[in-house]
Amino acid sequence: MATETRLEAGMSAPDVRAREVEEQMTDEERFSLLVSVMGVNDVVTVRDDRIPEGTPMSAGYVPGVQRLGVPAQLMSDASLGVTNPGYREGDSATALPAGISLGASFNPDLARASGGMLGREARSRGFNVQLAGGVNLQRDPRNGRNFEYLSEDPLVSATLAAESINGIQGEGVISTIKHFSLNCNETNRHWLDAIIDPAAHRESDLLAFEIAIERSQPGAVMTGYNKINGDYAGGNGVLINDVLKDAWGYRGWVMSDWGGTPSWDAALNGLDQESGLQLDMMMWKQVWFTDQLEAAYAERKLPKERLSDMVRRILRSMYAVGVDNWKPAPEVDMAAHNKIALETGRQGIVLLKNDGALPLAAGRPLKVAVIGGHAQVGVPTGCGSSAVLPPGGYAEVIKIGGPGIMGVGRNLFLYPSSPVAELKELLPNAEIEFDPGMSPAESALMARRSDVVIVFGIKIDSEGFDDPELSLPWGQDAVIDAVADANPNTIVVLETGNPVLMPWRDKVKAIVEAWYPGQAGGQAIAEVLTGVVNPSGRLPLTFPADLSQTPRPELSGMGTPWGTAVTIEYNEGAEVGYRWFATTGEKPLYPFGHGLSYTTFTYSDLKVDGSETITATFAVTNTGDRAGADVPQLYLTDAAGDARMRLLGFERLELEPGQSRSITLAADPRLLARFDADAGQWHVAAGAHKVAVGKSADDLELTGETTLSEARFGN
Ligand code: BGC
């Protein structure tokens, strides 16, 4: 085959084809691939005439080159479903639970299934690029986008992001991974300089990207809005050229975030495509990759090779994923997709505390008070570019608003899956009353005349906003407090995108974190409360007791007006979340990895081997009387005298009562290593390495040790 004979070292068939097609292009055609245009929505109200009639509106459109069979790029958000912020009249799609809920499932198979769902629903609308794969680490519990992301831990984040991306790309739709990198706060995000030690960056956020990219080969990487160590992510040569493309050998293309291209010479620093040109006009009064980039090219400031490379990267991802070669889209089975949303909601729910109040006794004629959280209407979700219009539309949209362009879309969106209605279904003998939770006194009245109280606490997080504190808003703490005083049999259900403080924690019998549980969330919550489903979610991030325990009790820049330059020092470096708590020795409110069940599990027979990497084998036994799923976790606690905590492995496994299974977890050697920035290599120190198997980062049950030889590897 001609193609095969032309394969050069390191080049695959898509590379070769990309080169062949690119070589036939005119410069005008090349430049046409480098800029995406947004469809019409609440923010961009004028239709750009570059988008041909009949093209489904979405976050991004890039024309194709018809004569060479290059398809147009039609880009849609995001990780939680195919979004429609007013682009297309009435077009709804499956609304998954928040990314943090998927994170709490610790279940790569579920990530794969939800990715497949995203791919099929994108494809059926003609979208061939899904702006998914949010993998930023949840470094700061105030970050307004934590709900979109998966975990504070690089391994959990990478494992689940990779499977979601594989699911999307398996349907012939290109997926991004985003936002590269350290887009970990929203505070003045366009002017935020995120400062971090480069080696620590490699051991944390960049490691999540690195592993996820290796495992899934996403067609595109989307950069962040922020700067990293002084340079905008969109034009950060160290990160894009040196790390992503050179050290990791990434072959796909790098697109900016919408309005996140800082200048034309970002192209010299590795950026291949400018996204959402209307937002660049808004931000910079400039579209950089049109006239400016063409002028730089004419003046030979942009070399021809680089222009070709930008185009080839886009083409090679198209060919690698197969978007140029679509057969008719398969039928979308919305009922099957609802099941994926439901299952993610179920597996993401974390039982934080249970003093015997749960599961609710289904057979008994209980008087149940359900209080607050609009639970008679539905379940909330987060705001911003990831918000999905669910089938049948929202049950309710209550405007919240706020400053800046993201204020327009900041709403209390309620999906029509009512916990009250679902509880009535599952507790036919119960008498269920609803109180809106408007005032502590009024709610206490109903609590007092009930056998059991289920009180909902909700909090709305949004892209574009960090939260100055971790409390529940709208006086809900006072309501929960009064209700718990009135009736000791109180259960709290939280629907939040982040950790919250719980001043009433010791007064209530049970606490359930349901996150934003998606379009079938009411059902998932009711099933867990009644024991139809045994809870199995684990916290993918640490719940601090208060902000003073976190690396940045004060968030610099918080409260400054839009446009203020802000510097945030991520001095915790790689010691994010539970790793940070391990260095300070403080007790969090709830640790990373924590989550209770209606059954019990024990661990035994730990064997640790250190020949290649650390491999741990141990047995997990369900010692209770119900079937349930557990997520045993393997941690490094000490690396040759360097005490540090690293999650090395985890597995979600379902066990029948009395059943025991042996599992083996092998560590990615990078999790055992430090990154040596001078040598540009990972370094495993020689000596005794201690590990522990536990139920959470703070509940380590078995310990073991093995000796590793010194190793240097990677780049
Ligand atoms: C977000 C991205 C998103 C893009 C396109 C930006 O505001 O940061 O995650 O993909 O918009 O809608």
Side-chain angles (χ1 to χ4, degrees):
M1 296 283 297
T3 313
E4 277 164 19
T5 53
R6 291 195 56 191
L7 279 182
E8 288 164 17
M11 285 185 102
S12 62
D15 292 306
V16 173
R17 219 177 128 205
R19 183 175 70 186
E20 285 171 356
V21 172
E22 184 275 332
E23 278 170 355
Q24 298 171 57
M25 284 185 177
T26 63
D27 282 344
E28 198 187 337
E29 286 167 339
R30 291 188 176 95
F31 277 104
S32 74
L33 295 186
L34 305 184
V35 182
S36 73
V37 187
M38 276 177 89
V40 174
N41 65 9
D42 284 349
V43 177
V44 177
T45 48
V46 181
R47 191 176 196 284
D48 191 292
D49 56 18
R50 275 166 280 204
I51 304 179
E53 286 297 334
T55 308
M57 290 276 170
S58 65
Y61 171 81
V62 182
V65 181
Q66 227 181 352
R67 72 180 184 93
L68 296 173
V70 176
Q73 294 161 57
L74 276 75
M75 303 174 170
S76 167
D77 282 305
S79 302
L80 317 184
V82 175
T83 65
N84 180 13
Y87 292 127
R88 305 174 301 281
E89 201 166 328
D91 180 17
S92 60
T94 303
L96 291 169
I100 198 169
S101 171
L102 179 62
S105 79
F106 280 70
N107 187 344
D109 295 339
L110 210 48
R112 179 74 174 225
S114 59
M117 174 238 110
L118 282 169
R120 287 186 292 278
E121 292 196 15
R123 190 167 161 179
S124 69
R125 291 164 173 77
F127 299 133
N128 53 15
V129 182
Q130 188 69 12
L131 306 170
V135 79
N136 299 83
L137 298 190
Q138 293 155 340
R139 276 182 181 264
D140 189 322
R142 288 162 294 206
N143 178 22
R145 292 190 90 170
N146 278 351
F147 76 91
E148 290 184 54
Y149 304 140
L150 295 156
S151 175
E152 68 186 17
D153 177 72
L155 180 67
V156 177
S157 300
T159 305
L160 299 177
E163 285 313 302
S164 170
I165 293 165
N166 282 327
I168 295 169
Q169 297 201 152
E171 298 295 331
V173 172
I174 291 169
S175 177
T176 58
I177 187 167
K178 67 189 188 183
H179 309 84
F180 190 71
S181 172
L182 221 62
N183 193 171
C184 294
N185 282 98
E186 290 293 289
T187 296
N188 261 314
R189 60 184 182 176
H190 296 276
W191 296 273
L192 189 167
D193 192 1
I195 307 295
I196 193 164
D197 168 65
H201 197 189
R202 289 294 304 265
E203 292 172 30
S204 53
D205 295 63
L206 289 177
L207 186 56
F209 277 100
E210 184 178 6
I211 296 177
I213 289 171
E214 271 166 21
R215 293 187 184 178
S216 63
Q217 304 300 329
V221 172
M222 188 193 295
T223 53
Y225 281 127
N226 51 301
K227 297 177 184 172
I228 303 96
N229 294 338
D231 287 329
Y232 271 110
N236 196 307
V238 172
L239 289 185
I240 307 176
N241 276 342
D242 301 353
V243 176
L244 176 68
K245 291 183 175 175
D246 289 351
W248 299 349
Y250 179 67
R251 313 289 291 243
W253 90 93
V254 179
M255 64 170 77
S256 70
D257 200 342
W258 272 235
T261 301
S263 61
W264 77 262
D265 65 7
L268 299 179
N269 292 323
L271 190 70
D272 300 305
Q273 191 177 57
E274 174 174 11
S275 306
L277 64 84
Q278 297 96 324
L279 292 194
D280 276 327
M281 276 311 282
M282 216 181 269
M283 279 293 305
W284 315 93
K285 314 282 172 265
Q286 241 348 309
V287 179
W288 305 101
F289 278 17
T290 50
D291 302 358
Q292 292 253 5
L293 196 67
E294 284 176 39
Y297 179 63
E299 291 163 29
R300 297 182 196 280
K301 290 187 200 148
L302 176 79
K304 169 75 177 39
E305 298 70 47
R306 177 68 189 118
L307 176 63
S308 294
D309 177 51
M310 293 163 87
V311 172
R312 286 180 197 182
R313 285 173 173 276
I314 297 170
L315 296 177
R316 82 85 66 190
S317 287
M318 288 182 167
Y319 302 143
V321 178
V323 301
D324 62 315
N325 195 17
W326 274 4
K327 309 273 176 308
E331 276 289 299
V332 169
D333 180 346
M334 291 301 276
H337 288 183
N338 181 59
K339 281 201 185 127
I340 295 171
L342 172 61
E343 198 50 39
T344 311
R346 287 170 173 155
Q347 293 190 22
I349 291 176
V350 184
L351 179 59
L352 293 173
K353 168 177 177 170
N354 188 14
D355 284 350
L358 291 174
L360 296 169
R364 283 188 29 218
L366 288 178
K367 280 171 114 178
V368 181
V370 180
I371 295 176
H374 303 271
Q376 87 286 24
V377 176
V379 291
T381 191
C383 308
S385 58
S386 68
V388 181
L389 180 69
Y394 297 112
E396 205 90 58
V397 180
I398 300 163
K399 290 270 171 214
I400 298 176
I405 56 170
M406 297 313 290
V408 182
R410 195 178 182 210
N411 300 316
L412 168 52
F413 292 114
L414 289 162
Y415 289 158
S417 176
S418 151
V420 172
E422 298 291 343
L423 279 168
K424 285 187 174 161
E425 187 93 0
L426 293 178
L427 296 173
N429 298 324
E431 198 185 302
I432 299 183
E433 286 190 288
F434 177 73
D435 171 274
M438 274 213 310
S439 81
E442 190 180 270
S443 300
L445 293 178
M446 189 186 284
R448 215 163 280 134
R449 64 168 186 261
S450 307
D451 298 321
V452 51
V453 184
I454 304 169
V455 52
F456 283 76
I458 65 172
K459 185 164 185 176
I460 302 311
D461 283 339
S462 171
E463 179 178 341
F465 298 89
D466 284 335
D467 192 342
E469 54 163 8
L470 305 183
S471 301
L472 289 173
W474 307 318
Q476 294 174 95
D477 281 330
V479 170
I480 298 174
D481 204 66
V483 161
D485 280 342
N487 188 332
N489 219 4
T490 290
I491 296 156
V492 178
V493 179
L494 297 168
E495 293 169 307
T496 69
N498 254 320
V500 287
L501 303 185
M502 306 176 199
W504 31 259
R505 174 163 83 134
D506 294 337
K507 286 189 183 176
V508 302
K509 283 264 165 64
I511 306 172
V512 173
E513 175 57 88
W515 317 108
Y516 304 138
Q519 68 177 34
Q523 184 181 342
I525 290 170
E527 288 175 344
V528 166
L529 294 178
T530 55
V532 172
V533 165
N534 192 349
S536 62
R538 301 290 183 263
L539 288 183
L541 81 176
T542 310
F543 275 42
D546 59 56
L547 282 169
S548 71
Q549 292 186 327
T550 68
R552 277 168 300 289
E554 300 287 326
L555 187 62
S556 70
M558 175 64 85
T560 52
W562 170 258
T564 311
V566 168
T567 299
I568 299 184
E569 313 227 356
Y570 292 97
N571 284 339
E572 73 276 25
E575 308 312 308
V576 180
Y578 67 88
R579 299 174 171 188
W580 172 256
F581 278 80
T583 68
T584 64
E586 298 254 3
K587 277 262 168 234
L589 190 62
Y590 290 107
F592 171 88
H594 170 73
L596 304 172
S597 165
Y598 298 148
T599 186
T600 47
F601 299 96
T602 57
Y603 307 148
S604 58
D605 304 322
L606 174 65
K607 284 182 207 63
V608 186
D609 177 89
S611 29
E612 294 282 320
T613 174
I614 289 184
T615 306
T617 301
F618 55 97
V620 184
T621 308
N622 180 348
T623 46
D625 54 9
R626 280 173 186 256
D630 189 26
V631 185
Q633 302 145 40
L634 173 71
Y635 293 93
L636 174 74
T637 55
D638 191 298
D642 178 4
R644 60 174 192 264
M645 190 100 177
R646 299 284 184 269
L647 181 71
L648 299 179
F650 62 89
E651 190 172 321
R652 183 183 187 281
L653 67 169
E654 311 254 0
L655 294 173
E656 294 299 321
Q659 193 187 352
S660 191
R661 252 184 60 196
S662 170
I663 62 168
T664 298
L665 300 173
D668 184 308
R670 286 167 290 199
L671 290 165
L672 305 170
R674 286 284 188 194
F675 191 75
D676 178 343
D678 295 333
Q681 277 199 314
W682 295 94
H683 177 226
V684 175
H689 283 65
K690 295 184 184 159
V691 298
V693 172
K695 296 209 161 71
S696 77
D698 206 26
D699 182 4
L700 305 176
E701 298 193 354
L702 305 175
T703 55
E705 187 171 322
T706 186
T707 301
L708 298 180
S709 335
E710 183 173 36
R712 292 188 172 276
F713 56 89
N715 48 17

